[in-house]
Every structure is written in structure tokens, then in C-alpha cells.
Amino acid sequence: MSTELGTAEKMGSRELIHFVTQQTRFSLINNILQHPKQLPSMYELEEPNPSVSDATVYKHIQKLIDAGIVKEAALDDDQRRQGYPRKFYGLTEEGREFLEKHNLLAAEETLQQIYETISDKPEKMVKYENAPRPSDNG
């Protein structure tokens, strides 16, 4: 991989696979993959996981960030709009490469198709899906 994967460098491949496939973390990775822009806000990660507390979602996203699998992207002040999220979460290049290498992205297209068929999304979810995102996803 081109750059180090945060704490992932301290883990072997086997441990990292176990780490990312832990139920809540893997669910969050799938939520990122199925999002139309693959850059959901925290709310867009919390909403599809009603059995997990918001604090737990946040904690697991932070762990994925620390491991170098997920990155946080924020809008610049001049791009921000009141009533819309400012921070978003997506896979790092290295995270995507790791998941691809270990065949953990096989369902990406299916996840996106399923997401597109959801017709009863809360109004706030639809609003946030259409929120401005950072133009630089890297």
C-alpha cells in the first residue's frame, strides 16, 4: 500500500480482517459503500443502524479512522450551508485497496442497488443525501 494504514500497521492482515469485519464496523463500511456518493454524514451512518447507539457508531467510525480504513472529510467554511452536515466519512485509498485485496468489496454494487430501492427514507435522510460534499474526496 502506498501509505501506512494507521494502527493497521500494528496488526497483521488476519487481525485487520477480523477488526474490519466486526459486526458494527463492517455494517458502517457497508453503509459507506452503499451511499450514493460514498461519503455519508454521521447522521447517514446512524440512521440505518437503529439498534446501535449514536455514541457507538461514532466510536467505531473513530476506530476505523485510526486504523486508516476510513477518512473524515469536511466542507470548507465557504461550502458550508446552514442546516446541512459539515463532516462526511469515506474509505481511504488504502482502506479500499485492503478491502479489495481481501474480497470484502464483492457486494458493493448490490449494496448500492438495494440503497436506491429504499423508498421510505426519512425526510432528513433525503435532505442529507443531497447535501453538498467536499469536492476533494482525497
Side-chain angles (χ1 to χ4, degrees):
M1 292 185 197
S2 56
T3 62
E4 290 186 16
L5 278 174
T7 57
E9 284 297 311
K10 298 172 188 154
M11 296 184 223
S13 265
R14 187 178 170 102
E15 289 89 3
L16 189 54
I17 290 168
H18 181 71
F19 174 82
V20 299
T21 58
Q22 181 275 343
Q23 184 177 357
T24 302
R25 288 189 284 268
F26 198 59
S27 177
L28 293 169
I29 288 169
N30 286 330
N31 294 145
I32 290 169
L33 291 171
Q34 75 183 136
H35 188 270
K37 295 173 182 132
Q38 294 195 347
L39 208 58
S41 63
M42 186 58 69
Y43 171 79
E44 292 169 294
L45 293 170
E46 294 164 349
E47 184 65 23
N49 295 290
S51 64
V52 180
S53 75
D54 295 355
T56 299
V57 169
Y58 181 80
K59 178 180 80 171
H60 283 287
I61 281 294
Q62 284 306 128
K63 286 181 179 189
L64 288 164
I65 289 170
D66 292 344
I69 300 294
V70 169
K71 65 183 174 192
E72 179 182 278
L75 288 171
D76 293 332
D77 289 341
D78 62 333
Q79 294 176 301
R80 260 190 102 181
R81 289 183 26 207
Q82 184 139 1
Y84 287 91
R86 186 177 76 82
K87 293 182 181 178
F88 304 90
Y89 303 88
L91 295 179
T92 62
E93 264 185 60
E94 293 80 13
R96 179 172 277 283
E97 288 172 14
F98 177 83
L99 296 171
E100 180 76 36
K101 177 180 174 184
H102 296 285
N103 203 30
L104 297 172
L105 293 178
E108 182 175 10
E109 191 175 319
T110 303
L111 289 166
Q112 291 171 353
Q113 290 170 355
I114 291 168
Y115 189 86
E116 288 172 12
T117 66
I118 300 171
S119 59
D120 60 345
K121 293 178 199 167
E123 189 177 321
K124 184 176 179 180
M125 187 79 146
V126 174
K127 176 183 176 180
Y128 278 26
E129 275 178 20
N130 296 305
R133 298 281 190 290
S135 52
D136 177 11
N137 293 342

